[in-house]
Amino acid sequence: MTKPEPHILVIFGASGDLTKRKLIPALYELFRQNLLPERFAVLGVSRSEIGDEIFREKMMEFLPDPSQNSAQASEFLDSLFYQTTETSVAADYPKLKQRLESLGNDLAIPANYIFYLSTPPIMYEVIPQILAETGLNDISKGFKRIIIEKPFGTDLASARELNRKLLSFYTEEQLYRIDHYLGKETVQNMLVTRFSNGIFEPIWNQNFIHHVEITSSETLGVEDRGGYYDHSGALRDMVQNHLMQLVGMIAMEPPVVIEANAIRNEMLKVFQSMRPIREEDVPKQVFRGQYTSSHIGNEPVKGYREENGVGPQSKTETYVALKFFIDNFRWAGVPFYIRTGKKLPTRVTEVVIYFKTTPHHLFEYNSDSEPINNQLVLRIQPDEGVLLKLGMKVPGAGFRVQNMNMDFHYDQLSNKYLPSAYSRLLLDCMHGDATLYSRSDAVERAWEYVQPILDAWKNNPDIPIYGYPAGTWGPEVVDQLIADSFWRKPCKNLAHDGEYCEL
């Protein structure tokens, strides 16, 4: 693989949790794979009064096995630098610019900069504007790119305003809106599964598919993020970004080429084709829930309203399930279902394609194997892989049929390097490849789709929020969404779900 051009990666919020637990380990992973530029530096930026050496010591704690690879770790840490900056104060930015120029001169790195905003969202407008006013958006002497973490806005109006302000100082090609879900190998494999196999594309449409189900469940609650989560909720936190991206991947038309604009154009078309959910239809198409106190095993578990930072009358959803349609030739009439929640039985993210049953049932099924749709399960995490459910003959007399699994697991590629999501996304930005980053029009369209749901919950206090005991699959009422089928209850293990279920 061609290495990226020499550049300096500037991380705002360098003392934060994301930098320590995700970004620095991801960069170290790229370094160990010899994928970073020959001339490269990381400049951490934060308000803490520390220097280069203390910053390196703090980051060393988060390197995987630094003692076993001490020479490599030491060489990597030597590329880390630190600049004390009050990021909301414009007067501090000339010093930051001087430090970048000084590092560039010392290390023979041209004025190529990537700015990573690992900061609270309130700074997403402030930092880019001050950078531009300081001349650090000038591409005449080298590229300037900005990586922006989620959440990108809290509703449609704020997302539009943030886009407007960013695009007044930068071009779309300079902006990289990150969604770490798209960095996962198994998400990207959905495109390969569809478009590299001739057996799937001819049946990937309303003639053969009964419905599509997308699940993203977590066993954890809000933990110590109650104050933040109570102003967010599952719809904003998961559906508007991560799960909408999965919908785009599953439902898009074949792009002309595998490159950023071609893929993002097709994903945008999916979002534009999604049938709007009107405010008055929200109670019938969208169900929200909130986990309540329970026991998981022998351990007592607090309910959401008992968590630190959460109001006793909070109506913030920790679970949401919705039904929607995509009105185009490929998907006309095919229902899509999304569910996501906290304190569910297992941590799993997957897409399930339910194919239509045969028009006439010829065979007798085992008592524990009802004649159900064939299913293609695209498992994103954990036990990553692909599972196809088929009807097979039970050995012996007659034609009794049992549902069986045909599976592939990513860990079978143990001899291959599988980058983490952040490693892949950082490397793509270094190469100037925005394929796996969200474009402004797609971000706004996703917000446009969920805004009526947010408005309905705000304007109609009579829309219920259903309780569900922690450790269960959510409110029972969500079964009403799938009238002629049922929600799959996935296990941690992908392949042997019919034999045992590991939670």
Side-chain angles (χ1 to χ4, degrees):
M1 178 183 289
T2 305
K3 290 190 175 184
E5 295 180 51
H7 67 275
I8 299 175
L9 173 64
V10 183
I11 302 178
F12 288 92
S15 59
D17 193 60
L18 178 66
T19 300
K20 294 181 288 189
R21 298 191 181 277
K22 295 293 184 181
L23 302 184
I24 293 299
L27 290 167
Y28 186 52
E29 180 184 332
L30 293 175
F31 173 77
R32 293 176 65 175
Q33 294 294 325
N34 198 28
L35 294 173
L36 291 178
E38 296 295 340
R39 300 190 304 281
F40 172 74
V42 175
L43 180 62
V45 175
S46 189
R47 68 174 65 177
S48 302
E49 294 280 351
I50 61 174
D52 296 345
E53 290 305 319
I54 294 178
F55 180 60
R56 291 166 183 167
E57 290 174 10
K58 288 179 176 291
M59 294 303 106
M60 184 171 64
E61 300 175 24
F62 298 91
L63 300 186
D65 302 322
S67 58
Q68 295 183 15
N69 302 278
S70 56
Q72 271 192 327
S74 178
E75 185 180 351
F76 172 75
L77 291 169
D78 284 344
S79 68
L80 306 187
F81 301 87
Y82 185 85
Q83 177 67 37
T84 300
T85 302
E86 184 63 57
T87 52
S88 60
V89 178
D92 274 13
Y93 280 67
K95 290 184 291 184
L96 173 61
K97 184 178 182 181
Q98 289 173 2
R99 184 69 190 281
L100 286 169
E101 292 171 348
S102 174
L103 280 175
N105 292 332
D106 293 343
L107 302 174
I109 299 175
N112 293 327
Y113 306 139
I114 295 176
F115 301 102
Y116 198 115
L117 305 190
S118 178
T119 65
I122 194 172
M123 301 303 295
Y124 293 173
E125 294 181 14
V126 176
I127 293 174
Q129 180 174 342
I130 302 177
L131 286 172
E133 292 170 349
T134 314
L136 287 171
N137 64 340
D138 181 9
I139 60 174
S140 62
K141 295 182 180 179
F143 65 72
K144 309 293 184 295
R145 299 168 187 154
I146 296 182
I147 300 178
I148 303 167
E149 272 285 342
K150 81 173 189 79
F152 195 89
T154 57
D155 54 19
L156 177 59
S158 61
R160 281 177 171 166
E161 179 63 13
L162 179 54
N163 268 331
R164 186 189 66 79
K165 289 189 175 180
L166 290 173
L167 290 170
S168 66
F169 298 107
Y170 303 88
T171 65
E172 180 64 44
E173 289 70 28
Q174 292 177 275
L175 301 174
Y176 289 73
R177 301 166 189 83
I178 197 168
D179 187 328
H180 69 267
Y181 260 51
L182 294 186
K184 296 180 182 292
E185 283 288 318
T186 40
V187 172
Q188 298 157 39
N189 188 54
M190 292 195 297
L191 290 183
V192 177
T193 300
R194 279 192 60 187
F195 299 132
S196 71
N197 296 292
I199 61 173
F200 289 126
E201 189 56 25
I203 60 173
W204 209 265
N205 56 58
Q206 48 89 16
N207 293 317
F208 297 94
I209 293 178
H210 183 270
H211 68 277
V212 178
E213 178 187 308
I214 300 175
T215 296
S216 182
S217 62
E218 298 180 60
T219 55
L220 297 175
V222 295
E223 308 308 306
D224 57 353
R225 298 170 65 239
Y228 160 77
Y229 195 87
D230 207 40
H231 296 283
S232 175
L235 190 70
R236 288 184 173 96
D237 192 48
M238 290 296 298
V239 176
Q240 182 276 331
N241 41 69
H242 300 326
L243 302 187
M244 287 285 280
Q245 297 294 330
L246 296 186
V247 172
M249 288 274 194
I250 285 295
M252 66 188 285
E253 294 298 314
V256 176
V257 292
I258 297 297
E259 63 89 24
N261 274 332
I263 291 176
R264 298 198 292 183
N265 286 344
E266 297 303 334
M267 291 182 69
L268 175 62
K269 291 177 186 177
V270 173
F271 301 155
Q272 291 171 331
S273 301
M274 292 173 66
R275 185 187 303 172
I277 298 177
R278 299 174 300 177
E279 273 195 55
E280 56 267 31
D281 293 330
V282 167
K284 295 177 289 184
Q285 287 185 246
V286 185
F287 293 132
R288 57 179 175 165
Q290 201 179 79
Y291 64 83
T292 58
S293 59
S294 180
H295 280 77
I296 298 178
N298 295 321
E299 295 293 324
V301 179
K302 291 190 294 186
Y304 174 70
R305 294 180 182 179
E306 299 162 8
E307 300 279 13
N308 291 333
V310 177
Q313 302 299 319
S314 172
K315 298 190 75 173
T316 299
E317 76 285 358
T318 63
Y319 177 100
V320 64
L322 63 151
K323 174 182 181 179
F324 63 94
F325 294 89
I326 298 173
D327 290 333
N328 59 23
F329 268 52
R330 182 182 294 270
W331 297 108
V334 177
F336 282 69
Y337 302 93
I338 284 177
R339 62 174 171 173
T340 182
K342 292 185 175 295
K343 286 293 183 186
L344 300 182
T346 190
R347 171 182 171 266
V348 64
T349 302
E350 66 180 21
V351 177
V352 187
I353 310 297
Y354 289 79
F355 293 96
K356 292 181 178 180
T357 58
T358 55
H360 178 56
H361 301 304
L362 290 171
F363 308 111
E364 181 182 358
Y365 280 69
N366 274 359
S367 59
D368 60 344
S369 292
E370 297 180 2
I372 62 172
N373 320 60
N374 294 119
Q375 298 169 30
L376 178 66
V377 182
L378 304 172
R379 175 63 69 85
I380 294 166
Q381 64 183 18
D383 197 17
E384 294 84 351
V386 179
L387 171 69
L388 182 61
K389 288 182 169 289
L390 302 167
M392 302 294 288
K393 181 182 180 298
V394 176
F399 288 92
R400 296 179 66 84
V401 176
Q402 182 172 340
N403 291 306
M404 302 296 293
N405 293 339
M406 182 184 298
D407 58 277
F408 160 77
H409 297 257
Y410 256 84
D411 59 14
Q412 294 171 6
L413 300 175
S414 57
N415 61 329
K416 301 292 184 181
Y417 165 60
L418 298 178
S420 68
Y422 275 97
S423 292
R424 171 64 192 271
L425 291 168
L426 283 167
L427 185 60
D428 281 357
C429 182
M430 293 175 186
H431 281 290
D433 182 356
T435 302
L436 300 177
Y437 289 84
S438 301
R439 201 167 62 190
S440 60
D441 48 5
V443 169
E444 290 186 17
R445 187 66 188 88
W447 273 118
E448 191 175 333
Y449 187 77
V450 303
Q451 190 62 50
I453 303 173
L454 295 171
D455 292 341
W457 289 346
K458 179 181 178 181
N459 299 331
N460 186 353
D462 294 330
I463 296 177
I465 181 164
Y466 299 95
Y468 63 95
T472 65
W473 275 111
E476 293 183 1
V477 69
V478 301
D479 292 340
Q480 298 175 12
L481 281 178
I482 307 183
D484 58 347
S485 187
F486 53 88
W487 292 98
R488 173 174 145 85
K489 294 183 178 178
C491 309
K492 176 182 176 182
N493 50 292
L494 173 64
H496 301 287
D497 59 347
E499 301 167 28
Y500 75 98
C501 190
E502 182 182 355
L503 297 176

